[in-house]
Amino acid sequence: MSKTNNLTQLKSATATLVVPLYILATFTTSSAEVPKTAVIHYASDPGVRLLLGATDSMVAKPGQRMQQYKDAVGVPGSKKSLSRLSLPNPTHNKIGALVQAGPAPVSSVYTFPCKVSGSVYFGWRKQGGSCSHGLWVVPVASQLHSSKVRSLASKNTHSATASKNLLQAQAATDLVRYYCSTVTTSKIGEWITSAGLPSLETACQESTQKCEETTGSKCLVASLGDWSVNDPNLAVSMQCGSNQSSVISARTRQGNGSLIDRLLSEITQMSQAVRGINCAASIYHPNEVIVSPSNDELTLIQTNNTGGNVEINVLVGSVNIVSVGRTSGFKVDKGFRYALGENKPTPLDCDRIFKSQPVQEFLDTANWPQEVAGELQSYRSGFCKSRERPPNNGGGGPDIWIDPFGGRGGGGSDRPTRPGVSGQ
């Protein structure tokens, strides 16, 4: 792989290209791997559907696997409907992540390999964890294409309507471009990103082949995704390790989909110039966030969707969250909730959340393969604790956490100036 060594020229160019560079101290330099499959362990009822591709839908059942990009499990809004899945990590010969979608008042979706919406519990770690380079959290409405929603409701669609839907889906597909980042498994930390290709398979095949030819080492897929060339508002970022064990996150300003190839190329050159290692690209929308464990501790989050706004509850460990508004990323510790668009995280009512049905379902060792029993115990012992809540004696009102079915609770008004946050 060619390396750009004239950093002075690149810095001069960025004044014109408006591509800022950020340095964070919350990232480890180990490679991350996108899972090759997801396994369904439990589906509560026939309303939980396995969605294959754009139109195929069937009842989700234990033992089924997702292996194609954008396959998904959809859980309807209900107090009882839920599904549990695991993401094996073949490199480390163990389970890399645990996923529980639902129950919640809104529909919840896990889309293979690393995207969720609605109320989803996601447990993983940075070292040996699937999706450790980033879990996409998106609003419910943007997770399922309209064709998939219709397939959940009924298979008896009128043929003319079905044909029209297929034509519309094909037209949309023609505007989609794919990207794929691969990183080497060796200590040299090389990487390649291929982008702007007509299929994910082509992008990953090209990226892997170039990476392995350049390094002479095996390479793994670290991040992947797509975008529409007609999208008016996107952001591009690159997360890398460095020789100083910090993360370099180079991000373009927002641009339309037709500019992504050029902007990603500019970020790649910057990352090469500062000798970033194991770099992985991300392309995302303003209403989405990218969440990753901030260290190698077990990490458990719950995602929520309130009024179309994405929320992240950090229950175990700590996470780094990247969004269009926070392109340099920031760390949120356990016991805090972050809502997209808010200035700072707010304390959670950890005691109430711990006792809730969804959390107890997740922590029950009988609900998962025996090999993760020890991890589940660690999740339980590492679960956040509620902060002390002194009486409200005329100060600001207490922070309120609203659980999925209307429970209330929250931390006191004596919270730190910027609670639960570092790396500002």
Side-chain angles (χ1 to χ4, degrees):
M1 174 184 307
S2 63
K3 294 287 185 179
T4 305
N5 54 18
N6 195 335
L7 185 55
T8 302
Q9 289 182 352
L10 267 174
K11 286 182 176 179
S12 175
T14 58
T16 302
L17 301 173
V18 288
V19 185
L21 185 69
Y22 303 92
I23 305 295
L24 306 177
T26 58
F27 190 84
T28 60
T29 59
S30 62
S31 63
E33 183 176 2
V34 167
K36 293 181 174 61
T37 185
V39 182
I40 299 176
H41 294 289
Y42 176 77
S44 61
D45 56 76
V48 179
R49 309 291 293 186
L50 174 61
L51 312 172
L52 301 174
T55 57
D56 293 338
S57 170
M58 64 187 71
V59 175
K61 297 180 180 179
Q64 290 174 323
R65 290 176 177 263
M66 289 180 283
Q67 301 184 89
Q68 301 296 321
Y69 179 57
K70 286 189 175 180
D71 287 353
V73 168
V75 178
S78 164
K79 291 187 177 183
K80 296 182 179 180
S81 294
L82 63 90
S83 182
R84 286 187 289 272
L85 309 94
S86 67
L87 280 58
N89 189 310
T91 300
H92 297 268
N93 196 30
K94 64 179 182 180
I95 290 177
L98 301 177
V99 185
Q100 179 177 294
V106 297
S107 60
S108 302
V109 183
Y110 162 72
T111 300
F112 182 77
C114 300
K115 184 182 290 187
V116 299
S117 67
S119 181
V120 177
Y121 294 83
F122 201 95
W124 76 131
R125 70 196 317 157
K126 184 168 288 294
Q127 293 274 7
S130 299
C131 304
S132 56
H133 250 313
L135 175 70
W136 256 249
V137 185
V138 307
V140 172
S142 64
Q143 178 76 317
L144 289 175
H145 297 296
S146 57
S147 57
K148 285 186 176 181
V149 175
R150 282 191 291 273
S151 69
L152 281 174
S154 173
K155 289 188 176 181
N156 299 318
T157 55
H158 191 274
S159 59
T161 302
S163 298
K164 181 180 179 180
N165 291 338
L166 288 174
L167 288 174
Q168 291 175 338
Q170 182 61 48
T173 300
D174 291 340
L175 298 172
V176 174
R177 299 294 181 267
Y178 296 85
Y179 69 93
C180 184
S181 293
T182 53
V183 298
T184 182
T185 57
S186 67
K187 293 182 179 181
I188 57 177
E190 297 283 1
W191 52 277
I192 284 285
T193 295
S194 294
L197 295 167
S199 73
L200 185 72
E201 292 75 17
T202 303
C204 287
Q205 182 178 13
E206 176 184 289
S207 180
T208 302
Q209 181 176 344
K210 287 183 177 180
C211 181
E212 293 183 346
E213 288 178 352
T214 301
T215 65
S217 175
K218 181 181 179 181
C219 294
L220 303 173
V221 174
S223 70
L224 49 78
D226 61 56
W227 77 93
S228 170
V229 296
N230 278 353
D231 200 308
N233 198 5
L234 293 170
V236 187
S237 69
M238 184 80 75
Q239 276 196 327
C240 309
S242 79
N243 293 330
Q244 289 75 40
S245 298
S246 60
V247 65
I248 300 164
S249 178
R251 198 274 299 184
T252 70
R253 291 192 176 183
Q254 295 164 233
N256 64 59
S258 64
L259 300 176
I260 295 301
D261 287 319
R262 177 173 65 83
L263 299 178
L264 187 56
S265 176
E266 292 163 4
I267 285 186
T268 298
Q269 292 180 52
M270 287 189 67
S271 301
Q272 291 172 347
V274 295
R275 301 184 182 278
I277 63 175
N278 290 336
C279 299
S282 301
I283 300 173
Y284 51 98
H285 294 80
N287 60 353
E288 301 173 351
V289 299
I290 305 168
V291 184
S292 57
S294 64
N295 52 48
D296 195 37
E297 295 178 358
L298 281 173
T299 305
L300 176 63
I301 65 169
Q302 177 202 10
T303 66
N304 274 329
N305 193 89
T306 303
N309 191 41
V310 166
E311 296 179 348
I312 309 296
N313 293 337
V314 185
L315 307 177
V316 180
S318 59
V319 298
N320 188 57
I321 299 179
V322 175
S323 67
V324 169
R326 299 261 192 164
T327 55
S328 58
F330 64 102
K331 181 182 176 184
V332 180
D333 295 317
K334 68 179 179 181
F336 288 89
R337 177 195 66 186
Y338 171 72
L340 186 62
E342 292 186 356
N343 292 329
K344 58 185 178 182
T346 55
L348 292 171
D349 186 342
C350 295
D351 296 338
R352 181 186 294 275
I353 298 174
F354 181 78
K355 296 175 184 177
S356 68
Q357 174 205 348
V359 169
Q360 289 305 308
E361 289 269 5
F362 182 91
L363 296 175
D364 189 345
T365 56
N367 291 333
W368 299 100
Q370 183 60 36
E371 64 183 282
V372 298
E375 289 191 357
L376 291 170
Q377 180 56 45
S378 296
Y379 281 126
R380 183 177 292 272
S381 61
F383 206 90
C384 67
K385 304 294 183 182
S386 294
R387 291 168 168 259
E388 291 186 12
R389 286 171 283 174
N392 185 9
N393 54 4
D399 295 308
I400 301 297
W401 178 79
I402 302 176
D403 72 23
F405 296 101
R408 292 165 60 111
S413 58
D414 62 336
R415 59 187 182 277
T417 302
R418 302 196 67 80
V421 183
S422 61
Q424 296 293 325

